[in-house]
């Protein structure tokens, strides 16, 4: 299957229900005296309008505090229906994922030099510059862009920068999954993102990103999602 066939314009929104109350949806933390159901309904209002405007349904996945994920579809008429995720047969991975970032430029020269010297932060910065060049040349929706983020995540974790490493690992996992990359690859980065954030300093932003990624691409991993949501609740105390 070609890369452009793997990309989709379907909207898949995710909602986090936090232990102790409140939800996180579309980058916003919603809190108040209302129960989670009321907050979710409020967050769904613009999604119903978007489904009607697009003339296409919208997927909605809701992650609950214990790690359980409910999946729905918002129909064009605004009604909410249970959504059954289709299990697709495995498809062959594009060869580009095994070839890696091309060597026809000197993009990785500084990355490798910093790597050999053990200068992890310098290597991360060099990888970030290489990623920007790859994005400018090939676009965001290209495996090379995801590979560049992978490199940044690796060196951030080597530098013991768990907060940045978690954010970059999660970003890499989501990008690889979205682009149809090797499952073992995005699973590794998502696992790294969870572990790094759970052992990081108090910063909820990467935690929310990790939770949304788990809901989106590994909805059956209740243990990991539950652990992340409990940490998010603890950080809010």
């Amino acid at each position: 299957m070609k890369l452009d066939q793997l990309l989709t314009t379907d909207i898949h929104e995710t909602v986090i229900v936090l232990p102790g109350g409140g939800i996180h949806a579309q980058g916003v933390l919603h809190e108040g005296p209302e129960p989670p159901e009321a907050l979710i309904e409020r967050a769904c209002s613009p999604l119903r309008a978007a489904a009607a405007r697009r003339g296409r349904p919208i997927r909605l996945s809701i992650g609950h505090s214990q790690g359980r994920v409910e999946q729905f579809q918002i129909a064009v008429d605004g009604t909410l229906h249970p959504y059954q995720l289709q299990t697709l047969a495995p498809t062959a991975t594009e060869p580009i994922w095994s070839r890696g970032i091309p060597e026809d430029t000197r993009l990785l020269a500084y990355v490798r030099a910093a790597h050999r010297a053990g200068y992890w932060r310098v290597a991360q910065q060099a990888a970030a510059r290489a990623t920007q060049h790859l994005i400018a040349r090939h676009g965001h929706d290209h495996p090379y862009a995801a590979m560049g983020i992978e490199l940044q995540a690796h060196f951030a974790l080597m530098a013991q920068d768990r907060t940045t490493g978690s954010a970059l690992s999660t970003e890499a996992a989501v990008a690889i999954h979205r682009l149809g990359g090797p499952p073992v690859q995005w699973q590794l980065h998502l696992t790294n993102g969870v572990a790094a954030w759970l052992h990081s300093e108090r910063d909820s932003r990467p935690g929310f990103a990790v939770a949304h990624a788990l809901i989106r691409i590994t909805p059956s991993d209740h243990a990991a999602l539950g652990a992340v949501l409990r940490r998010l609740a603890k950080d809010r105390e």
Side-chain angles (χ1 to χ4, degrees):
M1 186 177 291
K2 297 298 184 182
L3 179 63
D4 57 359
Q5 294 176 307
L6 292 167
L7 295 174
T8 176
T9 57
D10 288 347
I11 295 178
H12 182 185
E13 291 291 338
T14 53
V15 174
I16 298 168
V17 179
L18 294 163
I23 70 167
H24 191 271
Q26 296 180 303
V28 179
L29 181 61
H30 301 267
E31 297 179 287
E34 302 99 329
E37 294 78 13
L39 296 173
I40 292 171
E41 179 58 34
R42 187 189 305 169
C44 282
S45 180
L47 299 180
R48 297 181 196 277
R53 186 170 59 252
R54 296 169 73 242
R56 294 178 62 183
I58 292 175
R59 282 181 61 190
L60 174 67
S61 296
I62 303 173
H64 293 272
S65 56
Q66 69 273 33
R68 177 176 58 90
V69 176
E70 289 185 296
Q71 301 192 71
F72 300 95
Q73 188 176 73
I74 300 175
V76 173
D77 63 4
T79 55
L80 199 65
H81 305 277
Y83 179 83
Q84 184 64 45
L85 185 64
Q86 301 295 321
T87 302
L88 301 177
T91 57
T93 303
E94 285 276 301
I96 192 171
W97 291 100
S98 60
R99 291 198 296 263
I101 296 173
E103 298 290 344
D104 59 346
T105 69
R106 292 181 57 82
L107 281 177
L108 301 182
Y110 292 110
V111 178
R112 290 201 177 97
H115 186 187
R116 286 193 297 269
Y119 296 151
W120 308 125
R121 291 192 180 279
V122 175
Q124 179 191 335
Q125 293 165 1
R129 289 193 295 271
T131 303
Q132 289 305 309
H133 181 90
L134 290 166
I135 290 172
R137 187 171 181 181
H138 301 280
H140 284 277
D141 294 327
H142 195 282
Y144 293 156
M147 293 174 197
I149 299 169
E150 282 187 285
L151 277 180
Q152 295 177 65
H154 171 74
F155 291 121
L157 293 176
M158 291 296 292
Q160 297 297 305
D161 184 350
R162 294 186 178 92
T163 300
T164 303
S166 174
L168 287 168
S169 295
T170 304
E171 185 181 355
V174 172
I176 295 166
H177 179 270
R178 180 171 55 86
L179 295 170
V184 67
Q185 212 162 317
W186 59 256
Q187 288 166 353
L188 171 64
H189 290 297
L190 190 52
T191 298
N192 287 345
V194 171
W197 185 72
L198 288 176
H199 294 88
S200 69
E201 297 298 324
R202 186 167 175 162
D203 186 341
S204 61
R205 289 170 298 178
F208 283 122
V210 169
H212 282 289
L214 287 166
I215 293 168
R216 181 181 299 274
I217 62 181
T218 58
S220 61
D221 193 349
H222 300 171
L225 179 59
V228 171
L229 296 186
R230 286 191 296 272
R231 164 69 192 273
L232 281 168
K234 182 180 178 181
D235 285 356
R236 295 169 63 212
E237 294 175 353

